[in-house]
């Protein structure tokens, strides 16, 4: 993933409501692209059929809405998410240590 620190900071405001951890720390963001008119986000969720799908994707669009006129979010299932993708803070919070 390219250096998009300002976008990642905004995305840290989006939480998985079931886990109480933001989507960046969970490792759900796979790719960010930014051009003059659009932000593209390729991401996943912790499980296919996640009941929070619309809430989380809507949150991504909401926090990025002032960055570009178009926000495109692509939810993918490959590569599959696993707890190994979480950063240390998320693992600590969820008791993975």
């Amino acid at each position: 993933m390219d250096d998009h620190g300002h976008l990642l900071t905004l995305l840290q405001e989006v939480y998985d409501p079931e886990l109480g951890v933001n989507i960046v720390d969970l490792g759900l963001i796979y790719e960010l692209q930014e051009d003059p008119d659009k932000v593209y986000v390729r991401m996943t969720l912790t499980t296919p059929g996640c009941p929070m799908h619309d809430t989380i994707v809507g949150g991504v669009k909401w926090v990025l809405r002032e960055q570009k006129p178009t926000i495109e979010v692509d939810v993918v299932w490959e590569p599959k998410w696993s707890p190994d993708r979480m950063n240390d803070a998320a693992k600590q919070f969820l008791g993975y240590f």
Side-chain angles (χ1 to χ4, degrees):
M1 187 177 336
D2 295 334
D3 181 25
H4 295 290
H6 65 292
L7 297 177
L8 287 172
T9 298
L10 292 170
L11 290 173
Q12 285 178 316
E13 298 176 22
V14 181
Y15 278 71
D16 181 316
E18 291 184 320
L19 299 176
V21 178
N22 74 71
I23 62 174
V24 174
D25 289 354
L26 283 173
L28 299 181
I29 304 300
Y30 289 166
E31 180 181 353
L32 285 173
Q33 293 179 11
E34 183 176 24
D35 67 31
D37 299 319
K38 180 173 79 174
V39 174
Y40 171 77
V41 180
R42 188 169 67 94
M43 62 177 292
T44 194
L45 300 172
T46 56
T47 59
C50 173
M52 296 293 112
H53 176 279
D54 291 341
T55 300
I56 294 171
V57 172
V60 168
K61 291 178 179 178
W62 176 259
V63 299
L64 298 176
R65 72 191 182 288
E66 293 185 7
Q67 300 302 306
K68 302 292 176 185
T70 302
I71 308 299
E72 182 179 340
V73 179
D74 191 13
V75 177
V76 298
W77 305 111
E78 291 294 331
K80 187 176 180 179
W81 179 86
S82 81
D84 294 337
R85 293 194 52 84
M86 293 189 293
N87 68 17
D88 288 347
K91 289 177 182 175
Q92 180 78 30
F93 181 80
L94 295 173
Y96 273 80
F97 289 118

